[in-house]
Amino acid sequence: MSEYNTYEELLAAITDDSGQEVKNPATDEVVGSYRVGSVADVNEAVAKARQAQAEFAKLSDEERCDLLLKAADAVEAAAEPLAQLLSREQGKPLNGPNARFEVGACSGWLRATASFEHPNYTAVDDDITAKVHYRPLGVVGAVGPWNWPMMITVWQIAPALRMGNTIVVKPSEYTPLSVLALVKVINSVLPEGLVQVVTGDGEVGAALTAHEDIDKIMFTGSTATGKKIVESSADNLTRVTLELGGNDAGILLDDVDPQAIAGDLFWGAFINTGQTCAAMKRLYVPESLYDSVIQALAEVAENSPMGVGTEEQNVLGPLQNHAQFEIVDKLVKAAKDSGARVVMGGDPDYDAPGNFYPTTLVADIDPDNPLVVEEQFGPALPIIKYTDLDWAIEQANKLDVGLGSSVWSADRERAREVAARLEAGTTWINSHGAVDPRVPFGGIKSSGYGVEFGTEGLKGLAYPHIING
Ligand code: NDP
């Protein structure tokens, strides 16, 4: 049983009627209101987090894991109200790899984070006994985006708590209710002060990340904001983990069966309606398979309904905000103007409610077109023809981002050889974007640095204290 058995109960627990309204990006209807935080709130929350951390750090690893498991239970018990709220605020449908899936990932990640092997170890031989203790850093400041607001918040909270830190979270101003609700549910089973949320805009985010009493910054969002955060962290030499945007390439080899892979290929690109950092954002296809791949993808797209998130049949939703709609619209227009072929979509209804941009496939496109080389972060996939695999690999590697990539082949060994030549934090074979709590995840180049998940991720929320001798 949860304290929040219904969506209405959950919303009532976090809403502030005199605050800022949040609208459903699918319908333009008001979802709820929240109190907008300030720099003073940041200062207060950081002071409270500092105080709570001193006691929290005294708990054993087992006790901290136990709290994570209790938090997972609480999220599970309130899963449907959380998914209902997430769908209304973020826009993503309840079904498909969307709102219910995201809430499921939250409890899954909390549970998994309690199960990882602790990073402590001892280096020992005849001459040395060095015990490596990973100690808490202190207070973590976390800033998050609007695409997977609950799941990414858990990615920040869970390892921070496991390693004995307290955390202050600043959600995106587009999705504050989702994060307020998730933390409300988690806090129903945690001691006071371990996890706090301060809402507000980029100024509040900047006050948090530049705060002199923050020991670690966890940031997921754009490369531009990531750079500002790194600059402002210099004064305090605050440690930073950056999970920034990407422009992931997928390369098909000439032995794939287009029909067999079309579903996985589609969801690799269109998960969360394309609003995913590690989604496939450009697809390279050998000339011999070009038409059949496009046709197979179009068939999956036609059978993947887009619409209001709370209508159970839908699996694709609106863009979360109008600014993002405009980015996608501008990039598809640039592709059209250049003479690229729009296979489907590309024709949004500007008068309809919501930020819906139709599922769009663009073929016969120049490899340097903006839709290919800039991150679209929406439901528009450019499909580039190739005849020379070396050329396709070069294209995949030529951008200044490197989050994910994928290689698709009937011959896994052949795919692995190509994968080894790609520059990215993760290269998937015959899938794209599936993350696993046990496996490190992070980017290279302008996609950021530091990794999340697994024991490697835990090390980013702690410092090694070596007792040598
Ligand atoms: P931003 O990087 O601007 O926002 C991410 C978070 O950072 C938000 O909570 C934002 O606050 C906060 N923020 C903004 N300015 C600062 C600052 N100076 N210091 C600290 N925190 C700050 O991303 P957008 O939401 O504007 O999205 C823009 C682009 O970023 C997208 O088009 C997409 O390409 C990429 N993106 C990547 C994501 C990923 O998963 N890697 C997720 C989302 C976007 P607030 O929004 O409240 O002002």
Side-chain angles (χ1 to χ4, degrees):
M1 278 296 273
S2 165
E3 279 180 53
Y4 311 107
N5 291 309
T6 65
Y7 163 68
E8 289 74 18
E9 279 172 3
L10 182 61
L11 185 64
I14 54 160
T15 208
D16 178 341
D17 290 339
S18 61
Q20 173 85 34
E21 285 183 344
V22 177
K23 291 191 174 158
N24 183 330
T27 61
D28 300 333
E29 287 163 7
V30 174
V31 179
S33 305
Y34 71 104
R35 182 182 160 273
V36 181
S38 63
V39 173
D41 293 316
V42 169
N43 295 335
E44 201 179 304
V46 172
K48 190 170 167 185
R50 173 66 57 201
Q51 212 176 4
Q53 200 269 332
E55 281 306 303
F56 184 52
K58 292 179 190 162
L59 295 189
S60 66
D61 184 48
E62 205 183 345
E63 287 168 317
R64 296 201 288 256
C65 288
D66 198 42
L67 286 175
L68 289 180
L69 296 177
K70 285 196 174 111
D73 291 342
V75 170
E76 242 162 46
E80 186 58 17
L82 284 167
Q84 292 282 342
L85 176 59
L86 178 60
S87 177
R88 285 168 171 83
E89 185 185 56
Q90 203 286 337
K92 64 180 72 190
L94 289 168
N95 292 318
N98 293 299
R100 288 181 178 130
F101 169 86
E102 180 169 349
V103 176
C106 291
S107 46
W109 241 271
L110 284 160
R111 236 176 257 301
T113 306
S115 75
F116 303 148
E117 193 185 338
H118 195 284
N120 286 354
Y121 69 98
T122 303
V124 60
D125 66 20
D126 292 345
D127 303 320
I128 178 180
T129 302
K131 287 188 179 295
V132 182
H133 300 272
Y134 279 86
R135 312 278 195 213
L137 290 168
V139 178
V140 176
V143 176
W146 43 261
N147 54 343
W148 294 90
M150 290 188 183
M151 189 173 74
I152 288 173
T153 300
V154 166
W155 291 358
Q156 297 168 332
I157 289 176
L161 294 181
R162 170 81 194 265
M163 298 314 287
N165 307 282
T166 54
I167 181 164
V168 178
V169 180
K170 205 299 281 179
S172 164
E173 60 190 322
Y174 291 119
T175 50
L177 299 177
S178 297
V179 175
L180 285 167
L182 175 81
V183 171
K184 190 87 186 167
V185 168
I186 288 177
N187 275 346
S188 66
V189 295
L190 293 187
E192 171 94 13
L194 303 193
V195 183
Q196 298 171 78
V197 181
V198 179
T199 60
D201 59 10
E203 198 188 323
V204 174
L208 178 64
T209 52
H211 200 290
E212 61 179 11
D213 213 19
I214 288 286
D215 302 292
K216 167 81 192 192
I217 300 163
M218 300 284 285
F219 175 72
T220 299
S222 66
T223 300
T225 303
K227 286 181 180 172
K228 284 189 205 159
I229 287 176
V230 171
E231 271 176 38
S232 71
S233 71
D235 278 349
N236 307 313
L237 288 179
T238 315
R239 291 153 196 247
V240 190
T241 295
L242 296 173
E243 207 272 81
L244 309 175
N247 194 344
D248 292 10
I251 300 181
L252 302 197
L253 303 191
D254 56 10
D255 58 3
V256 292
D257 172 353
Q259 285 294 335
I261 63 165
D264 289 339
L265 207 51
F266 179 82
W267 286 110
F270 290 92
I271 184 165
N272 202 27
T273 316
Q275 301 162 105
T276 299
C277 47
M280 187 198 299
K281 292 172 181 147
R282 47 199 175 112
L283 175 61
Y284 296 86
V285 180
E287 190 170 22
S288 58
L289 295 175
Y290 196 65
D291 293 337
S292 48
V293 166
I294 290 173
Q295 195 187 335
L297 272 176
E299 279 166 23
V300 180
E302 274 154 15
N303 291 309
S304 303
M306 179 183 282
V308 175
T310 47
E311 293 171 6
E312 300 274 348
Q313 77 279 9
N314 293 324
V315 290
L316 296 164
L319 272 316
Q320 201 287 324
N321 52 78
H322 200 69
Q324 196 60 45
F325 175 97
E326 283 177 348
I327 291 173
V328 177
D329 193 35
K330 190 178 112 206
L331 288 173
V332 175
K333 274 188 183 140
K336 275 189 200 167
D337 291 348
S338 75
R341 174 164 59 96
V342 178
V343 177
M344 64 184 293
D347 55 347
D349 179 352
Y350 296 100
D351 299 323
N355 300 322
F356 287 101
Y357 196 91
T359 307
T360 300
L361 298 175
V362 180
D364 301 330
I365 184 165
D366 185 277
D368 291 319
N369 188 276
L371 182 62
V372 180
V373 297
E374 291 174 29
E375 187 185 30
Q376 71 276 48
F377 219 69
L381 180 67
I383 305 166
I384 305 109
K385 193 184 293 174
Y386 79 84
T387 50
D388 174 5
L389 181 58
D390 288 335
W391 177 86
I393 293 169
E394 200 180 294
Q395 294 297 308
N397 288 339
K398 76 178 180 183
L399 301 183
D400 188 32
V401 278
L403 191 55
S405 58
S406 59
V407 184
W408 303 67
S409 171
D411 178 346
R412 211 166 268 276
E413 272 317 307
R414 195 175 159 221
R416 285 190 182 126
E417 279 170 27
V418 176
R421 296 171 61 193
L422 294 179
E423 296 164 5
T426 304
T427 301
W428 288 275
I429 291 173
N430 295 336
S431 70
H432 196 117
V435 285
D436 184 303
R438 297 163 298 185
V439 180
F441 176 70
I444 59 166
K445 304 185 196 173
S446 295
S447 293
Y449 49 71
V451 293
E452 301 182 278
F453 313 160
T455 299
E456 283 308 310
L458 295 182
K459 289 179 185 171
L461 277 309
Y463 70 91
H465 176 199
I466 292 94
I467 299 185
N468 199 342

